[in-house]
Amino acid sequence: MNPRNGRAETSAPIYSLPAAQVYAALGSSPRGLSEEEARQRLSQYGPNEIAEARKTSLVLRFLANFYQVFALLLWASAVLAFVSDSVALAWTIIAVIVINSIFSFIQEFQAERAVEALKKLLPAKARVIRDGEIEEVLARELVIGDILVLDTGDHISADARLVDEVELRTDNAPLTGESEPVRRAAEPEPVREVPLSELPNLVFAGTSVAFGSGHAVVFATAMDTQFGKIAGLTQGVKLPPSPLTIEVRNIALIIAAIAMVAGMVFLVVGTTLAQMSFGNAMLFAIGMIVANVPEGLLPTLTLALAVGVSTLAKKHALVKRLSAIETMGSVTTICTDKTGTLTQNEMTVREIWLDGETIHVTGGGYGPAGDFATGEGPMPPESRDRLRLLLRAASFCNNARLIPPPSPGDKWRIVGDPTEAALLTLARKGGIDYLRDIEQTPRVYELPFESQRKRMATIHREDGELIAYVKGAPKEVLAVCSHILLRGQVQPLTDALRETVVEKNDDFALSALRVLGLAYRRLPEGTDFHSVEQVERDLIFVGLVGMMDPPRAEVADAIKNCYRAGINIFMITGDYGLTARTIAMKIGLVKREGASMVTGADIDRKSPEQLREVLRAGEAIFARATPEHKLRIAAELKHLGEVVAMTGDGVNDAPALKKADIGIAMGITGTDVAKEAAQMILTDDNFATIERAVEEGRRVYDNIRKFLVYIFAHLGPEVVPFVAFALLPVPLAITPMQILAIDVGTETLPALALGVEKAEPGIMERPPRPRTEHLLTVPLLLRAYVFFGIIESVFVMGGFFWVLYRGGWTWGAPLDAADPLYLKASTMAFLGIVMTQVGTVFASRTNRVSVFTTGVLSNRWILWGVVFEIALTVALLYLPVLANFFGMHPLGLEEWAIAVFFGPVVFLADEARKWVLRRGEPLRERR
């Protein structure tokens, strides 16, 4: 066998060999490889990993920061400075471009590393047989000869040859583009010249199991797989930019256009109407451009999103793309599963209905401890014999496994579905030894569970006969039953008996129990046990089992918070309607018993407009729903303009997860396919984590807006001096060099500190923002440009003229740029902007709530940012090298005393604005 191309030493293709020869050709056996052999092969052939496509080099990615839109504006300013013979200014602008590019690159690189690190928290895994035991290994550790254990929803991580299968179908769309699942078979194929992907006895890396189960022996890994050979093509596809990225780009273009137009207009105005010299006019144009460039916008945006992603990871939510955090903050509707998301997914059988009476089951967890009792007391041993058939059906029609605790203090572990594990636990309580009995009654075939028929069947050979055991939703099982077992006698299943079973099912459901029906049938000779129609007919109904899966303790509060936040919640479950409604009322998902209950059959009958009416009404539960129904609900909600978050865990949930604005997969119970389709993965499968993600998304978006308010606020006091210089006979209050010292120096850290600001109180008590609402809104611009802009401009220009008049300057008198009085006055204007922005950064921390409520000193990053800002200002004013370069002049205590007063006034003025805003809200509500 040449393990690198999957062909045996006889040169016969692997697909043409019988199963026994497949094992031999690949150096394996039905017991799988030994651990030692697997380690040796891993060492010899390397990990099962697709080599990543070569990324853009770090150098090119760094250089890209030199030609993004804000950098281009600064390059234009540098060119103008060279033309006007302002060489020092030109080189300073270039230095700013370099510093900003380095800073932006570092932020992007760190954010990318953070996302990559998060992906490693949920590594791909595979189930294999080694040393005769099923175990779970990392997909990267698969080697040639490993036997894959395949089941519905599994991601296939290597190319493998099937040796047995049960109704196996695979989704080959990632490899071939086929939209429908493809039937697989284990029989050898004749040698022929066809693409390997067309051979039915092969499964391939990158595809997934859509239905059924089977075993396959790995014959190719890593880059030798079919998927590996086209990896370059698949990795070359770039993800489209997110809505937030597009909007930020648009903002950048708008700002760039405003800056360029303002610079050019005032250049013309300065040389014509204002009769400026060409040098002064060019200086003026440069100042207008530089003043309007928010250099820190892009790195701060990246930082805010990266911090949000890291914060969510600590709260059990892994976000696969930075922009998804922003989408989560705008969610208006959450469509959630019930089992495992709203409940604990720890099933325990509490009630059995058998022979017309209810049997209570004690004991919790997945261990064997527990007992049976009827209404008359403990169940006597001789009466337990009639339980045996039900318990055998529960354990035989089952794919879960119970793993004993390694030490006395540990818990039992399960492999497989928790519902099936609960049935195995029930059987153990009744003395059924599944492993022993299955050897005597081996499984011959399985008809896997399907969401459409809501049943599962297994066929076993017992005493020379074939017997089918069936479990599923009670009504669906009853539908294929013709008889019932009562007191050991098989009797016709009359309408009255059917009604009795349904009433007991409803009683269990009203107690919030998840109910399954169990049945069996001895198959006559000649039955095609591959056929659902031939197997699942004329069954004998045995009984009901009711399982308790208690709601998560924290879910009720999370739902209450979502409703307060204006978010609607729909439960979409495959479970019985009464069970779903009882759970929904317990956790506050619905407030009334008359809440709309819509079944999957109802959805099928409704027109698009009728379904939209149900969704518009809000309070509704969707029961007995299939993944196809989830997809339709997501589509109709989006048609209504909702921003939809959809949870899912099954392979068939993938289309709905992709259709939703943000798909949320379960990290514990979710299939590989669901995780791949989702944008967010819950590592604890908990609904409360979704609520925390919404809050985090809102916080991140708010912080981006707070940053915009902060950086736009100082544009007014930076632009007004140039307007005054052009239109009035006054000196220029602040120079382009000083503006650069503010924009890239003193303001950098305080601006970034706003990106890590905690959520504002009441953030989950306001409705979601509309889908059409932009990042830049009229209220935001009014607050930044008008409110803060006017106050800061008054203080800055007031301080500038105060120094001039105290120094003996008179209106209209010219001042040389090197005059000590002018240098001192412009330095006062510079200090005025710094101090007003200290007040603004504290004020920007909230939009409507008083900062005194959140704690003035609660954001330590802002405190350190302000310390840095003041320290840098002192250095610029009093270090001769910096002061001479940036055109500064030392100021005395009197100037500092006045300038320090600016910040608190700005801060308190905004506190007054917030007070008025809060006072107005009750009035609007009363109206």
Side-chain angles (χ1 to χ4, degrees):
M1 169 69 196
N2 182 347
R4 305 311 289 171
N5 60 22
R7 299 179 73 90
E9 293 177 359
T10 59
S11 296
I14 200 72
Y15 63 80
S16 68
L17 302 176
Q21 293 182 32
V22 169
Y23 290 121
L26 295 170
S28 188
S29 74
R31 289 180 53 82
L33 301 174
S34 66
E35 290 291 349
E36 180 60 31
E37 178 64 21
R39 277 194 295 271
Q40 288 179 2
R41 294 191 184 191
L42 182 64
S43 175
Q44 181 178 357
Y45 300 120
N48 176 39
E49 292 177 326
I50 301 297
E52 290 192 9
R54 188 172 181 180
K55 295 182 179 179
T56 305
S57 71
L58 292 178
V59 173
L60 292 178
R61 290 167 63 191
F62 170 65
L63 293 176
N65 289 288
F66 286 86
Y67 52 83
Q68 50 97 348
V69 63
F70 292 146
L72 293 175
L73 281 177
L74 293 176
W75 282 116
S77 300
V79 171
L80 291 176
F82 277 122
V83 170
S84 63
D85 206 28
S86 301
V87 177
L89 175 59
W91 283 113
T92 302
I93 293 173
I94 292 173
V96 167
I97 296 171
V98 174
I99 293 170
N100 196 56
S101 296
I102 293 172
F103 188 67
S104 297
F105 172 74
I106 291 172
Q107 290 292 354
E108 292 168 8
F109 183 71
Q110 289 179 339
E112 183 180 293
R113 291 285 296 273
V115 173
E116 289 297 323
L118 291 178
K119 289 180 181 178
K120 294 178 181 177
L121 293 178
L122 275 179
K125 294 184 178 180
R127 286 187 301 153
V128 298
I129 297 176
R130 287 184 181 171
D131 289 320
E133 298 289 335
I134 296 176
E135 61 179 86
E136 196 172 58
V137 300
L138 294 175
R140 69 185 303 274
E141 295 176 359
L142 287 176
V143 296
I144 292 163
D146 262 329
I147 301 176
L148 296 176
V149 180
L150 303 175
D151 205 349
T152 301
D154 286 350
H155 185 81
I156 300 171
S157 299
D159 289 0
R161 164 68 156 84
L162 282 168
V163 289
D164 64 69
E165 54 82 27
V166 176
E167 292 293 321
L168 186 69
R169 292 175 175 84
T170 58
D171 178 6
N172 289 357
L175 190 66
T176 65
E178 294 175 272
S179 58
E180 295 296 325
V182 181
R183 184 71 170 90
R184 302 283 93 180
E187 289 76 19
E189 288 290 317
V191 177
R192 60 189 191 274
E193 291 295 327
V194 294
L196 291 182
S197 60
E198 295 184 11
L199 294 168
N201 60 8
L202 302 182
V203 293
F204 303 97
T207 64
S208 58
V209 180
F211 186 77
S213 59
H215 296 88
V217 188
V218 174
F219 68 84
T221 60
M223 296 306 291
D224 290 321
T225 63
Q226 295 298 300
F227 193 78
K229 293 171 184 176
I230 60 171
L233 294 176
T234 59
Q235 292 175 346
V237 178
K238 291 185 178 180
L239 288 171
S242 69
L244 180 63
T245 303
I246 293 171
E247 183 158 8
V248 170
R249 286 179 186 172
N250 291 338
I251 291 174
L253 292 173
I254 291 170
I255 294 173
I258 292 173
M260 289 300 295
V261 170
M264 293 304 102
V265 167
F266 280 100
L267 176 62
V268 174
V269 170
T271 54
T272 55
L273 299 180
Q275 300 297 308
M276 289 183 186
S277 66
F278 179 74
N280 282 341
M282 289 292 284
L283 182 67
F284 177 72
I286 294 168
M288 290 298 295
I289 294 172
V290 171
N292 279 285
V293 174
E295 290 87 350
L297 175 60
L298 299 180
T300 302
L301 170 67
T302 303
L303 175 66
L305 292 173
V307 168
V309 169
S310 299
T311 301
L312 273 182
K314 297 172 185 175
K315 297 178 179 179
H316 307 291
L318 302 186
V319 178
K320 292 161 66 176
R321 194 178 178 192
L322 283 179
S323 57
I325 187 78
E326 178 269 332
T327 305
M328 203 66 219
S330 62
V331 162
T332 60
T333 299
I334 300 172
C335 298
T336 177
D337 295 318
K338 176 181 70 69
T339 304
T341 309
L342 300 174
T343 62
Q344 297 177 20
N345 204 24
E346 292 184 0
M347 296 286 187
T348 304
V349 176
R350 291 298 184 197
E351 307 283 356
I352 297 173
W353 184 83
L354 180 72
D355 281 346
E357 68 174 336
T358 300
I359 301 169
H360 308 290
V361 184
T362 62
Y366 293 112
D371 205 351
F372 301 91
T374 64
E376 299 175 356
M379 199 172 185
E382 61 271 15
S383 299
R384 300 189 183 202
D385 289 341
R386 56 195 175 97
L387 271 174
R388 184 169 181 79
L389 182 58
L390 181 141
L391 299 180
R392 280 170 65 87
S395 59
F396 283 7
C397 191
N398 199 310
N399 287 322
R401 294 290 179 272
L402 295 177
I403 302 175
S407 56
D410 296 330
K411 290 184 177 181
W412 284 67
R413 292 193 303 114
I414 68 170
V415 176
D417 182 70
T419 299
E420 294 193 331
L423 295 177
L424 282 185
T425 301
L426 174 70
R428 290 181 63 87
K429 290 176 181 177
I432 296 292
D433 187 338
Y434 169 77
L435 295 178
R436 181 198 64 203
D437 289 357
I438 200 67
E439 288 184 2
Q440 300 171 359
T441 312
R443 180 183 296 187
V444 177
Y445 198 71
E446 174 188 338
L447 294 171
F449 176 85
E450 289 181 277
S451 57
Q452 287 78 15
R453 79 181 207 278
K454 300 189 184 303
R455 294 185 299 271
M456 170 188 175
T458 56
I459 295 92
H460 300 259
R461 189 170 298 282
E462 183 176 342
D463 299 329
E465 290 185 299
L466 292 179
I467 183 169
Y469 292 105
V470 179
K471 78 168 187 292
K475 289 185 178 179
E476 279 69 15
V477 173
L478 278 174
V480 291
C481 288
S482 59
H483 292 75
I484 186 170
L485 189 67
L486 290 175
R487 301 294 175 183
Q489 300 296 317
V490 176
Q491 301 179 19
L493 183 58
T494 64
D495 290 342
L497 287 172
R498 287 182 190 273
E499 188 62 31
T500 299
V501 175
V502 170
E503 286 177 0
K504 179 51 64 175
N505 173 49
D506 291 351
D507 288 344
F508 283 172
L510 287 171
S511 300
L513 298 181
R514 186 180 189 186
V515 190
L516 291 178
L518 295 164
Y520 77 102
R521 177 192 178 208
R522 294 189 182 278
L523 301 178
E525 287 294 330
T527 301
D528 180 6
F529 51 73
H530 297 82
S531 168
V532 171
E533 291 75 17
Q534 291 196 37
V535 172
E536 294 180 354
R537 54 174 292 188
D538 298 327
L539 300 179
I540 301 169
F541 191 80
V542 178
L544 300 171
V545 291
M547 288 164 279
M548 172 61 73
D549 182 15
R552 293 178 181 269
E554 63 275 25
V555 160
D557 286 339
I559 288 173
K560 192 183 300 180
N561 291 339
C562 285
Y563 280 145
R564 262 205 309 264
I567 298 170
N568 203 12
I569 306 170
F570 292 111
M571 179 196 288
I572 308 177
T573 178
D575 214 337
Y576 189 50
L578 290 178
T579 304
R581 175 180 284 167
T582 304
I583 292 289
M585 292 187 67
K586 275 190 174 183
I587 60 179
L589 188 66
V590 296
K591 301 292 191 300
R592 54 194 173 87
E593 289 193 16
S596 179
M597 174 73 69
V598 185
T599 66
D602 293 333
I603 296 174
D604 291 333
R605 288 191 292 266
K606 290 183 184 295
S607 67
E609 185 52 43
Q610 288 173 326
L611 182 55
R612 287 174 207 150
E613 281 301 314
V614 173
L615 295 170
R616 285 192 193 99
E619 201 169 270
I621 299 167
F622 295 92
R624 290 290 186 238
T626 66
E628 290 77 14
H629 295 137
K630 294 176 75 171
L631 176 61
R632 188 176 169 199
I633 291 169
E636 297 302 343
L637 282 169
K638 291 185 72 173
H639 185 273
L640 292 173
E642 302 290 323
V643 179
V644 183
M646 176 73 73
T647 69
D649 55 11
V651 60
N652 291 335
D653 287 331
L657 294 177
K658 289 182 178 179
K659 184 68 177 178
D661 294 281
I662 182 157
I664 304 171
M666 303 299 110
I668 299 173
T669 61
T671 60
D672 296 333
V673 177
K675 294 173 188 176
E676 196 166 312
Q679 292 86 48
M680 189 168 81
I681 299 171
L682 305 184
T683 59
D684 60 354
D685 290 9
N686 193 339
F687 179 87
T689 302
I690 301 175
E691 181 252 333
R692 290 191 287 267
V694 171
E695 181 177 359
E696 188 63 22
R698 291 188 176 191
R699 183 192 72 83
V700 167
Y701 200 81
D702 276 4
N703 286 352
I704 295 171
R705 282 184 163 170
K706 291 171 186 176
F707 167 76
L708 290 175
V709 168
Y710 178 66
I711 61 170
F712 287 161
H714 72 81
L715 298 185
E718 289 180 354
V719 169
V720 166
F722 287 91
V723 176
F725 177 59
L727 302 180
L728 301 172
V730 296
L732 181 62
I734 192 166
T735 67
M737 293 285 281
Q738 292 168 335
I739 290 174
L740 290 173
I742 293 170
D743 291 357
V744 189
T746 60
E747 287 205 336
T748 304
L749 292 188
L752 289 174
L754 286 172
V756 297
E757 182 67 37
K758 292 181 179 178
E760 186 170 343
I763 194 171
M764 290 296 283
E765 295 176 5
R766 65 183 192 223
R769 68 179 186 276
R771 184 189 285 270
T772 55
E773 183 175 292
H774 295 294
L775 193 59
L776 280 181
T777 61
V778 172
L780 184 150
L781 294 174
L782 288 175
R783 185 185 180 197
Y785 277 124
V786 179
F787 183 80
F788 283 125
I790 290 176
I791 296 175
E792 291 192 23
S793 296
V794 168
F795 280 128
V796 169
M797 297 304 290
F800 175 71
F801 285 119
W802 175 73
V803 171
L804 286 180
Y805 279 115
R806 286 186 72 238
W809 177 81
T810 57
W811 186 265
L815 273 179
D816 187 79
D819 190 307
L821 178 60
Y822 171 73
L823 291 175
K824 188 175 183 180
S826 65
T827 302
M828 184 65 181
F830 167 83
L831 183 60
I833 293 178
V834 170
M835 289 303 166
T836 54
Q837 282 295 93
V838 169
T840 300
V841 75
F842 280 102
S844 298
R845 291 180 56 201
T846 64
N847 182 53
R848 56 173 297 280
V849 175
S850 171
V851 177
F852 292 108
T853 302
T854 62
V856 178
L857 307 179
S858 59
N859 187 336
R860 61 190 178 94
W861 295 107
I862 284 183
L863 300 180
W864 283 112
V866 170
V867 169
F868 167 81
E869 188 172 15
I870 301 300
L872 181 58
T873 299
V874 170
L876 290 169
L877 266 63
Y878 299 105
L879 290 180
V881 174
L882 294 177
N884 292 334
F885 187 78
F886 285 97
M888 303 290 187
H889 190 282
L891 298 177
L893 288 177
E894 191 174 6
E895 288 84 9
W896 272 95
I898 291 176
V900 167
F901 169 74
F902 295 168
V905 173
V906 172
F907 172 73
L908 292 175
D910 194 57
E911 283 291 302
R913 180 196 67 82
K914 294 169 186 171
W915 180 81
V916 172
L917 187 67
R918 294 194 299 274
R919 290 276 294 179
E921 286 175 354
L923 293 175
R924 287 193 295 272
E925 289 174 4
R926 285 199 292 269
R927 288 173 188 163

